[in-house]
Amino acid sequence: MARVEVVRGDITREAVDAIVNAANSSLRGGGGVDGAIHWAAGPRLKEAGAALAPCHPGDAVATPAFDLDPPVRHVIHTVGPVWRGGAAGEAALLASCYRRSLEVADSLGARSVAFPAISTGIFGYPPDQAARIAVDTVRSVSTQVELIRLVAYDRPAYDLLTAALDV
Ligand code: ADP
């Protein structure tokens, strides 16, 4: 079973085999963590993403990490659900993002993977509910990944993920 950790920081600085991007379906980049990853990986990421688009909510695909610093070798792009009140299948789609990303990580042979708090920014998912789903899903998935790092960008997200990890 994978070790699950919570850290606070910028996911583009994480020394792991693969980082997960909270992308949009076009895979051409956007704001938030998506923008930060595209900035750090360089323009080839957009080209590689566009060639794989569209990626549907709940699914994940991988590209090389291009200009991201080693040891990062892969970017796994997953598309979270847009929050529409909670009755539109958002929870199942968010869980699917974590599950599919780990399946893709397994197919790449990645042993350490960092996740941002998918959907909790521009897509509006309530961060407390998202933290619960993130922790429960990564804990329940059967994977060859040995280290799963949940990366919180701010203090509130860090506190919510830490609390979810303790239950
Ligand atoms: P989404 O569209 O899936 O909501 P966002 O990028 O808007 O994606 O937000 C997802 C989460 O990523 C938010 O909690 C946001 O604070 C966080 N975030 C933004 N930039 C970074 C970064 N460089 N590293 C890690 N997390 C980040």
Side-chain angles (χ1 to χ4, degrees):
M1 208 172 70
R3 184 156 59 95
V4 182
E5 292 177 352
V6 174
V7 301
R8 185 172 168 197
D10 174 355
I11 200 166
T12 65
R13 314 294 303 174
E14 290 298 325
V16 288
D17 295 339
I19 64 172
V20 176
N21 181 19
N24 55 56
S25 295
S26 79
L27 302 180
R28 284 173 171 77
V33 70
D34 195 9
I37 291 172
H38 275 264
W39 173 255
R44 287 176 294 170
L45 191 67
K46 185 174 173 179
E47 215 174 292
L52 298 171
C55 181
H56 299 292
D59 202 0
V61 293
T63 64
F66 297 110
D67 298 341
L68 280 157
D69 288 333
V72 181
R73 296 181 56 224
H74 312 284
V75 177
I76 299 171
H77 306 262
T78 189
V79 180
V82 174
W83 180 256
R84 301 185 198 283
E90 292 94 330
L93 286 172
L94 186 59
S96 173
C97 287
Y98 287 93
R99 205 166 39 240
R100 282 287 303 134
S101 295
L102 289 170
E103 283 172 13
V104 171
D106 278 339
S107 74
L108 297 165
R111 290 291 177 265
S112 52
V113 178
F115 282 93
I118 300 162
S119 281
T120 65
I122 298 157
F123 283 5
Y125 210 109
D128 53 337
Q129 295 179 46
R132 180 80 271 149
I133 289 170
V135 168
D136 287 350
T137 307
V138 301
R139 272 185 178 152
S140 67
V141 167
S142 161
T143 173
Q144 300 302 306
V145 174
E146 289 158 7
L147 173 64
I148 296 170
R149 193 170 286 162
L150 303 176
V151 181
Y153 197 53
D154 55 25
R155 182 63 196 262
Y158 177 82
D159 290 344
L160 288 168
L161 284 165
T162 308
L165 201 60
D166 282 347
V167 178

